[in-house]
Amino acid sequence: MTARILVVDDIAANLKLLEARLTAEYFDVITAATGQEALDVCARAQCDIVLLDVMMPGMDGFEVCRRLKADPQTHHIPVIIITALDQPSDRLQGLEAGADDFLTKPVADIALMARVRSLTRLKMLGDELRLRAQTTREIGMSDALIAAIADTGRDGRVLVVDDRESSSERIALALEGEQTVEIEGDPQEALFRVAEGDFDVVIVALSLENYDALRLCAQIRSLERTRMTPVVLIAAPDQNARVLRGLEVGVNDYLIRPVEPNELKARIRTQVKRRRYTDRLRSNLQNSMELAVTDGLTGLHNRRYMETHLQSLIDQAVSRDRPLSALVVDIDYFKRVNDTYGHDGGDEVLREFSRRLKASVRGIDLACRLGGEEFVVIMPETDAAVARVVAERIRTKCSATRFELGRGARLLDVTVSVGVASLNGPQDEAATLLKRADVALYKAKAEGRNRVVADAA
């Protein structure tokens, strides 16, 4: 896994040592000797992760970390504080400043690399989601980032998986008042609870009896519903090798017993915030995908979606020797509506027509707005005779009840013309099917509008 690591330390020897260790593991390394220099590098989006010393002149590492996490442009960059400070209060201060981890010098190579790889993997996943969810805004100013900065990391749902009652109760007591904690003493039942419970964090005791805790962690990572759920290990001091293995299988964080309550709370808050941030990114991505294939005015699928899926529906119908039909629908004299009532009035007609159209077709039918006042309905498993019945239903739904404008202030007669075409055989393609339906539509208009005409081919 390649990544660009920013190492920040005012002592040149420390910079060279960390640079050599990271370069040997094939990371791309850049360095900074001051806090301001580090902030400038991060603002230019030139690194994937920051290794940050605390004791520096001018601006210390805690302040650098706070500024990085408060800035929407750099909030997402993981920060590991590496320092000679070893008091619990120092560790807590670093975590509360927003650091993703706090390591005390001297740090073993294997532990440092495992942590760097774990956080780099999470950061790259987040980068992919952020880029894919981007629409018209700058990524750094997205709603997800703004919310993440304001998030306190409290009021999450936490599942503790520990078969020792005294241990799980101590963890629950430490988190009381900040998180909603549930306890599961049966590791085999835990996976089902995680999958069904929508937890923000899962805490797993590494010393489970008669069950491999890392296997449970790997199973949580393998399920689609729980793949993004943060997992935190609670380990004994002699279980470092197992902790490193846990980081390799996807564990997000760990604590060594005896667990310091304030550090536990700080690390769980960090994981809750990360889970919520990821959920917001995924939600933004889903919304962006929906916007890309949906007509904003009517809520129907748009032309892009239809063009993408129509040929596959035709191929499926041909391979199964099943019928398929298409309707092209046009609102009659729509220009008069815009000229008389303005575009707001025209938009009201389009929205109301779309509601009536959706009410006239099945869930498996593909209803799309091509643009302007023209619409298409693709109907799998539908022959020409049934398609004509559906087209008449759409026409009647429009002509039988007048359209309301301005919340009932005006009533408007609206009619539609419909062209119908059905699949002729394996030689048919999307373009030819729609062309025949379009020709039938023009015939309906030529014959006086407010009527259905079927393709005679």
Side-chain angles (χ1 to χ4, degrees):
M1 179 189 304
T2 182
R4 174 169 286 189
I5 313 296
L6 171 62
V7 180
V8 188
D9 199 313
D10 64 317
I11 300 175
N14 291 343
L15 286 177
K16 290 186 178 298
L17 177 61
L18 272 176
E19 183 176 10
R21 292 162 72 180
L22 292 163
T23 302
E25 295 295 326
Y26 304 104
F27 289 106
D28 183 13
V29 181
I30 54 178
T31 61
T34 68
Q36 187 57 55
E37 187 180 351
L39 293 175
D40 293 342
V41 170
C42 292
R44 295 194 296 269
Q46 292 183 327
C47 66
D48 295 302
I49 191 167
V50 179
L51 304 186
L52 181 61
D53 185 37
V54 171
M55 306 300 292
M56 295 186 295
M59 186 188 308
D60 67 17
F62 295 137
E63 180 60 23
V64 173
C65 188
R66 275 191 289 269
R67 293 193 186 190
L68 287 173
K69 295 301 182 178
D71 186 343
Q73 298 286 351
T74 57
H75 174 85
H76 62 285
I77 301 175
V79 176
I80 300 177
I81 290 179
I82 302 179
T83 178
L85 300 176
D86 60 357
Q87 296 301 306
S89 58
D90 298 320
R91 184 182 298 271
L92 182 62
Q93 186 176 357
L95 294 171
E96 290 185 339
D100 296 85
D101 206 348
F102 188 106
L103 302 179
T104 302
K105 298 177 182 177
V107 182
D109 278 5
I110 192 168
L112 174 62
M113 298 309 163
R115 205 70 187 98
V116 167
R117 288 191 181 95
S118 174
L119 286 172
T120 299
R121 183 169 55 246
L122 288 170
K123 194 263 185 182
M124 288 181 171
L125 175 61
D127 284 350
E128 181 181 356
L129 287 171
R130 289 188 311 111
L131 288 169
R132 291 171 63 191
Q134 182 185 15
T135 52
T136 58
R137 298 184 181 187
E138 290 295 323
I139 289 174
M141 296 304 294
S142 69
D143 292 340
L145 278 172
I146 299 299
I149 292 170
D151 196 345
T152 64
R154 291 176 168 82
D155 300 318
R157 295 188 66 231
V158 179
L159 179 67
V160 178
V161 183
D162 195 337
D163 51 15
R164 290 191 298 167
E165 186 175 345
S166 59
S167 173
S168 59
E169 287 181 351
R170 281 196 299 272
I171 294 172
L173 183 62
L175 295 174
E176 188 177 25
E178 284 205 356
Q179 314 292 347
T180 300
V181 180
E182 298 180 30
I183 296 173
E184 178 53 65
D186 182 354
Q188 296 187 1
E189 185 66 26
L191 185 62
F192 296 101
R193 290 193 62 180
V194 176
E196 297 170 0
D198 192 29
F199 291 97
D200 293 297
V201 182
V202 180
I203 300 175
V204 179
L206 193 51
S207 302
L208 296 173
E209 291 186 14
N210 303 318
Y211 199 89
D212 186 346
L214 295 186
R215 181 173 297 279
L216 173 61
C217 297
Q219 289 171 329
I220 292 172
R221 278 289 163 268
S222 68
L223 293 178
E224 179 65 29
R225 292 185 62 184
T226 59
R227 188 163 295 158
M228 305 302 294
T229 303
V231 178
V232 177
L233 284 178
I234 304 293
D238 60 352
Q239 292 182 305
N240 284 334
R242 296 272 288 161
V243 167
L244 296 177
R245 181 63 177 144
L247 291 172
E248 291 176 2
V249 301
V251 166
N252 298 73
D253 203 354
Y254 64 92
L255 292 102
I256 303 297
R257 298 184 194 272
V259 175
E260 204 282 315
N262 288 323
E263 182 178 349
L264 171 66
K265 287 191 283 190
R267 289 187 182 273
I268 297 304
R269 285 198 298 268
T270 296
Q271 297 304 324
V272 170
K273 286 191 286 187
R274 180 175 290 146
R275 166 61 188 270
R276 290 170 177 166
Y277 172 47
T278 304
D279 284 350
R280 291 184 189 108
L281 286 176
R282 296 177 75 186
S283 177
N284 285 355
L285 172 59
Q286 182 63 35
N287 290 340
S288 296
M289 291 174 65
E290 290 176 1
L291 287 172
V293 298
T294 303
D295 176 63
L297 178 65
T298 64
L300 300 176
H301 289 301
N302 61 17
R303 186 182 197 121
R304 178 189 300 175
Y305 186 88
M306 185 205 70
E307 290 175 344
T308 302
H309 288 80
L310 176 54
Q311 189 59 52
S312 63
L313 290 174
I314 291 175
D315 292 342
Q316 188 178 71
V318 169
S319 66
R320 296 178 179 178
D321 194 25
R322 303 299 298 166
L324 179 143
S325 297
L327 312 180
V328 178
V329 187
D330 190 88
I331 299 175
D332 296 328
Y333 303 112
F334 184 73
K335 185 177 183 299
R336 292 182 187 175
V337 177
N338 280 332
D339 290 344
T340 305
Y341 302 103
H343 289 287
D344 288 344
D347 288 349
E348 285 190 70
V349 169
L350 291 171
R351 281 192 290 264
E352 176 58 25
F353 169 72
S354 299
R355 283 192 287 269
R356 299 188 191 192
L357 178 64
K358 283 188 284 189
S360 303
V361 299
R362 305 165 299 175
I364 66 169
D365 297 329
L366 179 60
C368 308
R369 182 187 178 199
L370 279 190
E373 66 273 25
E374 193 169 36
F375 298 78
V376 169
V377 181
I378 308 300
M379 297 182 291
E381 303 287 336
T382 305
D383 61 23
V386 175
R388 180 152 194 156
V389 171
V390 175
E392 282 291 350
R393 182 192 307 152
I394 294 169
R395 187 194 65 78
T396 303
K397 270 189 175 290
C398 292
S399 61
T401 306
R402 303 177 82 186
F403 282 49
E404 293 185 1
L405 298 185
R407 298 184 178 181
R410 299 185 185 89
L411 295 177
L412 184 65
D413 290 317
V414 175
T415 63
V416 299
S417 300
V418 187
V420 183
S422 298
L423 201 60
N424 279 338
Q427 76 282 357
D428 239 350
E429 294 181 351
T432 56
L433 177 68
L434 291 178
K435 179 63 175 178
R436 294 203 312 274
D438 208 39
V439 170
L441 169 66
Y442 278 104
K443 187 176 180 182
K445 286 183 170 293
E447 292 179 357
R449 291 181 169 82
N450 188 23
R451 67 192 61 223
V452 174
V453 172
D455 169 53

